[in-house]
Structures are given as C-alpha cells and as structure tokens.
C-alpha cells in the first residue's frame, strides 16, 4: 500500500516537473529573441545614422565648395567691373582735360576775334573816307597853285564835305547794325545816369537843370549806356 502511494507520488512529481519545464522554456525563448532583435535594430539604426551623417557632411562640403566657387566667380566679376570702370574713368578724365584745353583755346580765340565782324563792316566806311580824301588833291590845299587846279577851292571843299558826310552816315548805319545808337539830350532834364556835366551856367529863359549844350553826343548799346553824353547844364541865377 505504501509502495503504491510512493510510486504514485513520484509519478505525479515527475509530471509536475515535466510540466514546469515545458512551461518555463517557451517563456525564456521569446525574451532571448527579443534581445537579439533589439541589438540588431540598434546596430542598424546606428549604421543608418552614421551614413546619414556622412551624407549630410558630403552635402555640407558640396555646399561649401559651391559657395566658394560662387564667391570666387563674383570676385572675378567684380574685379573685371573695377578694371572696366577704372578704364572708363581714365578715359573721361582725359576727355575732360581735352575739353578744358579746347574751351580755353576757343575762349581765347573768341576774345581775340570778337570784333572781327564789326571790323569787317567798318572797312566799307574806311573805303568811303579814303575816297573822300582822294577827291581833294594836295594841290587844292595850297593857295599858291590855285591856277593849275581843275576845280575851285570851294568845289573841292564841297566834295570833301560830301565824302565826310557819307562816311559819317555809313558809320552810323554800321553802329545801328550792332545796336549802338547815338542820343543828343539837348533840351532834356539832366540825368546823371545818362549825362556827364562839363559845366553849369545861368541861361536866361532856361529852367535850371536843363541840358543847354551837348559837346559830345552819347551812345547806348541795347538800352545800356555805352558812353554818357557830355553836356552843359543851366544853373539857377544867384
């Protein structure tokens, strides 16, 4: 009886031990598998991170190289622009110096030849005056040789007067052409801006301050006084 119970207890113990062994083995296997998969995943992620870092470093190096290349190209372009602008500036400076020289030369020529046209117009007046002088021969100026003259002294004098009158008229026409006009202020009120008083005298019947005599007529050029008229002015009686 006791032998049978012992065998039964031993069999049940063996069964329990086999059950516990069969239960514990599957529980440990998943843990080992999980650890191996985790270790592999961590190695793979580390490798991927390293490759990613390498790629990023390569990208950064490429960007740096591109930036350096771009900066170098910009520097070359700026240097070429500076050379071009420097050349233009030197050309403009030389052109400006030449312009100054030409302007100074033209200014000097203008000053030297400013009266060219005026002098050319006066030549005709000089010609008329020369003809008037030729009309009176040297013999007509001497009283002793009056018998050999073709004309009388009065006729030669008349010719001379006519020539001088023509010269005077032609000269005034030339002056008018250049806006130079004469004025005679006789009978007008004295104006110190237009007249130059040579003397003052009490004149009966003349209002004091009136121009009574004009020694030299005045001239204006485009309403501007070229020469004041030299006059005598009536003075109050004391």
């Amino acid at each position: 009886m006791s032998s049978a119970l012992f065998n039964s207890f031993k069999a049940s113990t063996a069964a329990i031990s086999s059950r516990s062994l069969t239960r514990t083995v599957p529980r440990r296997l998943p843990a080992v598998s999980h650890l191996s998969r985790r270790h592999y995943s961590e190695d793979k992620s580390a490798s991927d991170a390293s490759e990613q870092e390498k790629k990023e470093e390569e990208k950064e190096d490429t960007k740096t190289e591109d930036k350096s290349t771009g900066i170098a190209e910009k520097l070359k372009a700026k240097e070429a622009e500076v050379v071009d602008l420097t050349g233009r500036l030197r050309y403009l400076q030389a052109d400006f110096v030449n312009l100054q020289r030409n302007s100074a030369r033209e200014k000097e020529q203008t000053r030297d030849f400013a009266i060219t046209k005026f002098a050319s117009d006066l030549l005709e007046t000089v010609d008329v005056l020369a003809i008037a002088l030729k009309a009176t021969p040297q013999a007509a100026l001497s009283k002793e040789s009056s018998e050999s003259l073709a004309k009388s002294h009065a006729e030669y004098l008349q010719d001379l007067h006519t020539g001088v009158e023509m010269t005077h008229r032609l000269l005034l026409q030339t002056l008018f052409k250049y806006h130079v006009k004469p004025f005679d202020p006789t009978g007008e009120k004295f104006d110190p801006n237009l007249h130059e008083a040579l003397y003052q005298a009490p004149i009966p019947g003349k209002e004091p301050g009136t121009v009574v005599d004009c020694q030299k007529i005045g001239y204006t050029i485009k309403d501007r006084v070229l020469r004041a008229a030299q006059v005598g002015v009536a003075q109050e009686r004391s």
Side-chain angles (χ1 to χ4, degrees):
M1 182 72 177
S2 60
S3 172
L5 290 172
F6 178 76
N7 290 331
S8 177
F9 176 76
K10 187 177 180 180
S12 61
T13 304
I16 292 170
S17 299
S18 62
R19 287 178 184 176
S20 61
L21 289 173
T22 55
R23 289 179 182 176
T24 55
V25 171
R27 290 179 183 176
R28 291 180 181 178
L29 288 176
V32 173
S33 177
H34 177 70
L35 289 174
S36 63
R37 285 200 304 270
R38 183 177 180 183
H39 179 72
Y40 176 76
S41 177
E42 289 178 354
D43 291 342
K44 186 177 180 181
S45 61
S47 177
D48 292 341
S50 177
E51 290 179 359
Q52 186 68 24
E53 289 179 358
K54 288 182 180 179
K55 289 182 181 180
E56 290 180 356
E57 289 179 357
E58 290 177 355
K59 288 182 181 179
E60 290 295 331
D61 293 339
T62 304
K63 289 181 180 180
T64 305
E65 291 178 357
D66 293 340
K67 288 181 180 180
S68 301
T69 304
I71 292 173
E73 291 178 354
K74 289 181 179 179
L75 286 175
K76 288 181 180 179
K78 291 297 181 181
E79 288 177 357
E81 186 177 357
V82 168
V83 171
D84 181 51
L85 291 176
T86 303
R88 291 185 182 182
L89 180 60
R90 290 177 180 174
Y91 176 78
L92 290 174
Q93 286 177 342
D95 192 20
F96 181 70
V97 171
N98 292 332
L99 179 62
Q100 284 183 324
R101 291 176 181 173
N102 293 334
S103 298
R105 190 182 302 111
E106 290 178 0
K107 186 178 180 180
E108 184 178 357
Q109 291 178 353
T110 301
R111 184 181 66 249
D112 293 341
F113 301 101
I115 62 171
T116 299
K117 186 169 175 42
F118 179 69
S120 178
D121 290 337
L122 283 180
L123 294 180
E124 188 175 354
T125 304
V126 175
D127 292 338
V128 173
L129 184 59
I131 293 173
L133 293 175
K134 279 185 179 181
T136 306
Q138 189 67 28
L141 302 177
S142 177
K143 295 182 180 180
E144 296 179 356
S145 58
S146 59
E147 296 178 357
S148 59
L149 295 175
K151 297 180 182 179
S152 64
H153 286 87
E155 290 174 337
Y156 281 119
L157 182 60
Q158 182 63 39
D159 292 340
L160 180 61
H161 180 270
T162 301
V164 172
E165 185 180 10
M166 289 177 59
T167 303
H168 183 259
R169 185 169 60 252
L170 186 60
L171 183 59
L172 287 178
Q173 290 176 358
T174 303
L175 292 174
F176 266 88
K177 189 176 181 180
Y178 290 91
H179 308 284
V180 178
K181 300 178 182 179
F183 65 93
D184 186 350
T186 304
E188 300 177 1
K189 292 288 290 185
F190 177 78
D191 186 352
N193 296 319
L194 300 174
H195 313 143
E196 179 184 354
L198 297 179
Y199 65 90
Q200 290 182 342
I203 306 296
K206 294 293 183 181
E207 184 181 354
T210 303
V211 176
V212 295
D213 181 27
C214 182
Q215 297 286 327
K216 289 184 180 180
I217 62 176
Y219 287 90
T220 60
I221 177 170
K222 290 186 177 180
D223 299 329
R224 184 177 180 180
V225 178
L226 181 63
R227 188 187 73 182
Q230 297 180 358
V231 299
V233 183
Q235 187 181 22
E236 294 183 2
R237 293 184 178 181
S238 56

